[in-house]
Amino acid sequence: MAIMDFVQRFQALQLQRDTGNELIKDLLIYCEGMETGLRLENARLAKELEDAQLDLDDARRSRRDLQQQLNLAQQRVGQFSVDCDSMRNRNPYIMVLIDGDGMIFNEDLIHQGIEGGKQAANALRNSVLEHCSELTDEIEIMAKVCANITGLSKAMRRDGSLDNPDDLRDFTLGFTQGKASFDFIDVGHGKERADSKIKECMRWHLRNHNCKQILLGISHDAGYAPFLDEVVTQDDRCRITIIEGPPTVRELVNTGLQILNFNNIFRADKLVDRLVSSPTPPSTWAGVTSIAPPPPAPISIPPAPAKANGTAKKTPVPPIAKPAWVPSPRGLDPPITVNATVLDKIKRRTTNNKLCNNHYLRGPCAKGDECCFEHQYKATDEDLKAIAYLTRLNPCLNGQDCELEFCIYGHHCPSVTMGAAGKDPVCNAFGCRFAKEDHPPNTVIKHPRKERWEKEYERY
């Protein structure tokens, strides 16, 4: 074997060694790169793990805090629910709202004055508790009666069911004094004042959960039906009851609300104007609207001849005519007869000795000696009637809305003659001071008041 063969074999071996070294070198470089990458990845993952651990710890703390807050909120909600139920049932009451202008208490109670009012309050409370027996456990009865007491007094006197207006006023005081939660409220003159007060009270109590039942004394008035349809929901229907005194009107029956009859407390029939003209003069000088002529000389009247059968012919008595026009809400001023001769005497008194209306009709004049009218004249009853008649010719500033029961001024024109056979009414006053609405419809003003007279007119 030649030496060159060994040389070639050595070179081949050396080449293999170089190739192996390169492989090992490449492997070491690759491993180093891999190790570096893995170290970086491991560091990144370790960081992420640490952050995740921190987030987990924070989440645990937050969840624990939220759980505690949730538990506390649940406790509060439970307490609020208990408190709400307690408040709803703490002071339960039944509200009784009565329109006293139409729901009239029985006459025998009113005639007893204060004592009758207390009896009415007790009877009303006992009747309500009897019909609401399922709610009687520690429940309060509240009652509010709204009425125009002055107007109601007049209406009852015209009906003949009240002789003394003080009885009604004493009755209202007794009703209010009978129970601490009972009130009889005088709303005064004005259209639907009692209605509006009752409606607003009902709205308020209907929104109050402590109010378990509302009893409405409105059976006489159909005007409440649209209001009930508006405010009473299906859920509230079981809380509303109508008290029946006079028969319940059809519109309220159609609402489908429960109706209770309290005829042992309220009268079942409505007030009727039974007042007819009477020769007996009224109790106040303010009621003057008619004039009587001077008393004529006595004339002897021969007896009427008898018929053949011995029966005398009777003179027919004309029926009492009802007034053709009645203003509202105050109505017509009550009439009284005045002697024309006395009236003319009073009218002839000049400015220097003109009688003071306030002094003679209302009592001592507030101006005293400073008043420019006569106070010393000794007026007779006929003189007082004439003074009242002349004062009545001056219109009251409040007109039909006047709330003064014994107002001395006029509330409608007393100088109107009602037309016959379809003719229009005629006002015969010279320069009538009353407004158009103080006359019957279509009244012809015979002598209208000129504007300059209005400016110069000074009321006494």
Side-chain angles (χ1 to χ4, degrees), residues 54-93:
L54 293 175
D55 292 341
L56 178 60
D57 294 340
D58 184 67
R60 286 175 177 173
R61 287 191 299 269
S62 299
R63 187 196 65 80
R64 189 176 294 108
D65 292 341
L66 290 175
Q67 185 65 42
Q68 292 176 351
Q69 294 177 13
L70 177 61
N71 294 338
L72 182 60
Q74 289 177 343
Q75 292 176 3
R76 290 180 177 177
V77 170
Q79 186 62 42
F80 289 158
S81 179
V82 172
D83 293 343
C84 183
D85 293 339
S86 176
M87 291 177 63
R88 287 185 177 184
N89 299 306
R90 180 174 298 173
N91 296 308
Y93 68 92

Side-chain angles (χ1 to χ4, degrees), residues 389-409:
Y389 174 77
L390 294 175
T391 307
R392 184 64 64 81
L393 296 177
N394 297 322
C396 175
L397 295 178
N398 295 319
Q400 285 293 313
D401 292 327
C402 177
E403 299 183 6
L404 189 61
E405 184 173 2
F406 301 116
C407 180
I408 64 176
Y409 298 107

Side-chain angles (χ1 to χ4, degrees), residues 349-367:
R349 298 179 73 90
T350 61
T351 305
N352 293 333
N353 64 349
K354 182 178 177 182
L355 301 180
C356 177
N357 297 336
N358 285 325
H359 180 78
Y360 287 99
L361 300 181
R362 287 177 171 170
C365 178
K367 296 182 180 179

Side-chain angles (χ1 to χ4, degrees), residues 308-372:
N309 56 5
T311 59
K313 182 179 180 181
K314 295 182 178 180
T315 304
V317 179
I320 298 173
K322 294 184 177 180
W325 171 71
V326 178
S328 62
R330 185 181 178 96
L332 293 172
D333 294 324
I336 192 173
T337 302
V338 180
N339 187 292
T341 303
V342 177
L343 177 66
D344 185 65
K345 180 186 70 172
I346 298 298
K347 290 173 66 175
R348 289 179 182 275
R349 298 179 73 90
T350 61
T351 305
N352 293 333
N353 64 349
K354 182 178 177 182
L355 301 180
C356 177
N357 297 336
N358 285 325
H359 180 78
Y360 287 99
L361 300 181
R362 287 177 171 170
C365 178
K367 296 182 180 179
D369 296 336
E370 297 180 0
C371 182
C372 59

Side-chain angles (χ1 to χ4, degrees), residues 88-101:
R88 287 185 177 184
N89 299 306
R90 180 174 298 173
N91 296 308
Y93 68 92
I94 297 174
M95 190 67 208
V96 183
L97 299 172
I98 298 174
D99 187 343
D101 289 334

